[in-house]
Amino acid sequence: MHAPSSSAEPGMFIVEIDDFEGPLDLLLHLIREQDIDVVDIPVSRITRQFLEVIEALDLDSAGEFLEMAATLVRIKAQLLLPRPAGEPGEDPRAELVRRLLEYEQVRVVSHRLRSAEAERIRRLAKGFFPLRPAPRAEEAPLETTWDELLVAAVGVAVQGGDERGHHVPRLLVSLEEKVDLILAALEEARRVEFGRLVRSSPGRVHGVMTLLAGLELSRERRVRLRQSRYFHELWICRPEAEDNRARGDEQSAVGSEP
Amino acid sequence: MRDAQIVEAVLFASDAPLGPEEIARADDTLDEDSVEAAVRALRAEYLESDRAFEIVRIAGGYQLLTRPEYAPYLDRFDTIPRPTRLSGPALEALAIIAYRQPIGRVEIEYIRGVGSTGVIRTLQDRGLVAVVGRGEGIGRPLLYGTTPQFLEHFGFDSIDDLPRPETLPVILKEPSESAFRAEDSQSASGAGPVARISPG
């Protein structure tokens, strides 16, 4: 059995996961290193070795390796299950073997591509020669002192230090404030236009908070919201105003327009 | 003026392979046959006079390229643009696409055993593969195939320059045939105790 490191337990493999393109690559490596016949994989042993290798991994980056580990474990379990006598079935390993052989072909072909590429790169087409950059100046010795460096650094920091931050002031508009606003307005009148409430304090935040306050009050059945049709003025009404809604068109609920 | 000189001028001025039919457009007296004859004459001439370049058959056309033995000298000029090599994963994905085209991402990933979105994007960005259609099935997945630049990048004349499928022990050509199917269960349905991992 192959053991690349003397400190390794027998049958344990020391591998760098970065050396492998993926779980099939690793599996193939384990199989080929041990001269295992790919059509007769000792699933138990290979599974153990595979798990040993991926155990050393950062699991976040190893999802595909874990998936393969799960597949191996499942195949192992399927091999242990007694198969119904006289019922021919496919070897549980068959699909995996097929994939391994196929992947091995991919490796063969990509190696051939690699050498074809290397050959091709040795031949150059008539190319455009950009002007060569001027030869680099001799490297000047560093004559700056730490003090000068500090001044330079601090100077830059002072120059650019100001006005850099972008401050987003947090608008303090509370829901309670808007609830009070609505209720106060309804003290004076049976109904009030939403637009009028909002116009008293412009700004998107005020509008949104007033609407939320209206919705909240409506949910608590402390007000009723009326709108004659979509995009028309929204009215906030006292709950008892419902009885009077026949009076005005604007008080009929959305959806019951003529 | 000889045919050969006209062809030579065209090849010299071109920065990509040109097919004989394209070269023939240079003059009414030229046709594909006379272009091929001119190329043969030029090749003999270059060989005779030991030029540093030669006419190479690439991607179904002809291109003037320096001979490989001059690469070490040209390597000293870091201003000469040249293609960068592809990474291992990119070569894997490209090999799969080359043999199985048109093929979708999910199939590529199943064969490689790893996600390949980024690698396919890289190959697309470099113009080595392109979307060539859409598959049947859920979501009508994009199907990829190789481009003429693929042939140029590897110096192939045609896709047939890839190792012949017959010379590869198994499978790449046949997507879903299992070589190890028990004799009596010919159904490919995946029924029975089959260790089948569904793509995706």
Side-chain angles (χ1 to χ4, degrees):
Chain A
M1 188 166 293
H2 175 88
S5 160
S6 56
S7 65
E9 299 168 27
M12 188 170 170
F13 283 79
I14 308 297
V15 285
E16 287 292 321
I17 209 67
D18 290 346
D19 294 346
F20 296 96
E21 307 285 8
L24 288 169
D25 198 10
L26 171 56
L27 212 51
L28 213 49
H29 173 81
L30 292 174
I31 288 166
R32 292 304 184 208
E33 279 293 300
Q34 299 172 94
D35 282 331
I36 289 169
D37 181 3
V38 73
V39 300
D40 191 21
I41 301 170
V43 177
S44 196
R45 177 167 60 150
I46 288 292
T47 303
R48 178 172 50 78
Q49 292 169 344
F50 189 86
L51 289 173
E52 278 169 6
V53 171
I54 69 165
E55 212 159 290
L57 288 182
D58 172 14
L59 294 187
D60 285 344
S61 67
E64 286 134 349
F65 288 87
L66 290 179
E67 192 185 335
M68 177 57 71
T71 301
L72 286 171
V73 169
R74 192 183 65 217
I75 292 172
K76 189 174 146 186
Q78 279 170 336
L79 285 171
L80 292 173
L81 286 175
R83 251 181 274 173
E87 203 175 294
E90 193 173 31
D91 188 321
R93 300 171 294 184
E95 173 67 5
L96 182 63
V97 169
R98 192 194 65 76
R99 288 186 71 187
L100 282 170
L101 289 174
E102 182 174 58
Y103 183 70
E104 198 162 43
Q105 295 316 309
V106 170
R107 297 308 304 261
V108 169
V109 174
S110 52
H111 283 133
R112 301 221 192 151
L113 288 180
R114 166 79 72 220
S115 42
E117 180 183 59
E119 270 305 298
R120 174 64 187 83
I121 284 175
R122 282 163 56 79
R123 296 172 168 277
L124 292 169
K126 182 178 67 63
F128 168 66
F129 283 69
L131 285 177
R132 302 198 69 177
R136 229 174 277 148
E138 289 285 304
E139 279 207 30
L142 188 64
E143 286 171 355
T144 312
T145 66
W146 282 110
D147 285 341
E148 286 169 331
L149 188 65
L150 188 66
V151 167
V154 169
V156 166
V158 167
Q159 266 183 351
D162 214 358
E163 305 292 332
R164 296 301 294 266
H166 176 69
H167 296 283
V168 181
R170 191 167 144 224
L171 282 177
L172 294 174
V173 181
S174 72
L175 194 67
E176 290 73 22
E177 184 186 318
K178 294 301 178 191
V179 165
D180 291 346
L181 177 75
I182 291 172
L183 291 179
L186 289 181
E187 290 288 308
E188 292 168 21
R190 300 169 70 91
R191 58 198 176 99
V192 61
E193 291 164 278
F194 176 75
R196 195 160 61 81
L197 289 177
V198 173
R199 272 192 293 277
S200 64
S201 40
R204 196 173 294 175
V205 180
H206 286 281
V208 169
M209 293 310 286
T210 308
L211 180 63
L212 286 176
L215 291 172
E216 180 65 17
L217 286 170
S218 164
R219 193 179 64 81
E220 294 171 5
R221 299 189 188 287
R222 294 163 70 187
V223 303
R224 296 214 160 247
L225 300 179
R226 297 280 166 225
Q227 194 177 27
S228 62
R229 51 182 72 184
Y230 300 112
F231 307 116
H232 274 212
E233 186 55 80
L234 177 69
W235 289 87
I236 303 174
C237 319
R238 291 184 198 160
E240 67 270 22
E242 189 182 20
D243 306 331
N244 305 324
R245 80 178 150 179
R247 271 204 211 158
D249 285 349
E250 72 278 8
Q251 280 179 300
S252 59
V254 167
S256 63
E257 53 189 284
Chain B
M1 204 179 298
R2 292 193 302 144
D3 286 354
Q5 286 163 309
I6 299 172
V7 171
E8 187 176 42
V10 172
L11 289 176
F12 178 80
S14 170
D15 59 358
L18 289 177
E21 72 291 344
E22 291 172 295
I23 298 172
R25 282 169 40 205
D27 193 86
D28 293 341
T29 64
L30 289 174
D31 59 23
E32 289 188 33
D33 287 341
S34 55
V35 167
E36 299 279 7
V39 166
R40 278 195 299 277
L42 287 169
R43 279 178 160 166
E45 221 175 298
Y46 294 165
L47 206 60
E48 175 98 356
S49 55
D50 201 18
R51 313 305 319 194
F53 50 83
E54 58 192 335
I55 300 175
V56 181
R57 176 107 195 168
I58 282 184
Y62 293 106
Q63 190 172 16
L64 270 184
L65 296 177
T66 60
R67 285 167 37 184
E69 57 264 39
Y70 295 96
Y73 305 102
L74 298 171
D75 281 344
R76 292 194 164 192
F77 295 83
D78 55 3
T79 52
I80 298 180
R82 67 194 68 202
T84 48
R85 288 156 198 265
L86 293 165
S87 69
L91 283 173
E92 272 188 26
L94 198 51
I96 294 167
I97 293 171
Y99 276 86
R100 284 279 197 81
Q101 54 188 319
I103 183 174
R105 176 181 56 81
V106 170
E107 260 184 292
I108 296 167
E109 291 178 341
Y110 185 63
I111 294 172
R112 292 190 60 220
V114 292
S116 302
T117 309
V119 163
I120 294 171
R121 169 67 49 79
T122 303
L123 293 173
Q124 266 186 297
D125 288 348
R126 297 196 53 170
L128 299 172
V129 306
V131 173
V132 294
R134 280 179 172 272
E136 302 300 315
I138 301 160
R140 313 230 32 225
L142 297 173
L143 299 179
Y144 299 92
T146 53
T147 63
Q149 282 102 301
F150 162 76
L151 299 175
E152 283 183 45
H153 183 84
F154 293 98
F156 294 150
D157 184 25
S158 80
I159 199 81
D160 295 332
D161 284 0
L162 285 165
R164 303 292 308 157
E166 304 90 77
T167 70
L168 301 172
V170 235
I171 293 179
L172 256 175
K173 206 64 189 172
E174 315 295 339
S176 55
E177 274 304 302
S178 171
F180 304 92
R181 209 171 284 284
E183 281 179 18
D184 292 326
S185 68
Q186 291 295 339
S187 82
S189 67
V194 181
R196 188 171 295 276
I197 314 115
S198 61

